[in-house]
Amino acid sequence: RFSGSLGSIKLAQPIMGMAATTDGKGYWLVGADGGVFAFGDARFYGSTGDMALNKPIVGIAATPSGHGYWLVASDGGIFAFGDAPFLGSTGNVRLVEPVVGMASTANSQGYWMVAADGGLFAFGQAPFHGSMGGSRLGSPMVGMATDGATTGYWELTSGGQVIAFDAPGLG
């Protein structure tokens, strides 16, 4: 087991996200430049650490198989590695607010991205159940998660408010 940090490794950019392997015995960290660090049984499948990006990377989502991952940039650009399929992006769309996170469907054939204003973008087989885009929020969105029992999802604000879309409202 690894327990600790990147220690003496000098990072080019701050860490922006984390995704766990399906068995919980490993994880990936991603930096704003797209540099990916694999720990435990997580394998390295590639990164954007040596690419000139239009916008910084803000998140990572693992494929359900654990054999790949997606990186998402604040402009909604998607970078797919391993068995993660590229299913579209908002990299060429003018967004009202930047993308702040993403999540994958249970079968890897879709993903969602959430923007700071609560706008949600669905790609592939990821169904759109609604979003907070265009709503008045007390604080910006900072991330999202999917419900493993449904095709629903939750959006999360920096103030701790969780908004459910076809997922149970748990508080």
Side-chain angles (χ1 to χ4, degrees):
R1 284 186 169 187
F2 173 82
S3 178
S5 69
L6 293 175
S8 63
I9 296 174
K10 183 170 171 62
L11 297 172
Q13 296 287 319
I15 297 297
M16 300 301 292
M18 177 182 197
T21 57
T22 52
D23 64 8
K25 296 179 181 176
Y27 54 84
W28 297 273
L29 303 178
V30 65
D33 62 354
V36 174
F37 303 90
F39 296 92
D41 68 354
R43 292 188 49 213
F44 177 78
Y45 295 104
S47 76
T48 62
D50 61 350
M51 295 173 60
L53 301 174
N54 293 332
K55 296 290 182 178
I57 299 296
V58 295
I60 183 171
T63 61
S65 71
H67 298 293
Y69 43 81
W70 296 271
L71 307 182
V72 63
S74 66
D75 63 357
I78 292 285
F79 303 90
F81 298 95
D83 68 354
F86 176 79
L87 301 168
S89 75
T90 62
N92 61 344
V93 176
R94 184 175 167 91
L95 301 175
V96 175
E97 292 287 334
V99 169
V100 295
M102 75 174 296
S104 165
T105 60
N107 66 2
S108 288
Q109 296 307 304
Y111 46 79
W112 299 271
M113 295 184 286
V114 65
D117 65 352
L120 189 107
F121 307 93
F123 295 91
Q125 294 177 7
F128 179 81
H129 296 293
S131 77
M132 294 304 292
S135 301
R136 198 159 179 53
L137 300 174
S139 53
M141 290 295 164
V142 295
M144 70 174 301
T146 58
D147 177 20
T150 70
T151 60
Y153 46 85
W154 298 277
E155 292 186 352
L156 171 67
T157 71
S158 65
Q161 183 180 10
V162 176
I163 300 108
F165 295 92
D166 201 30
L170 304 173

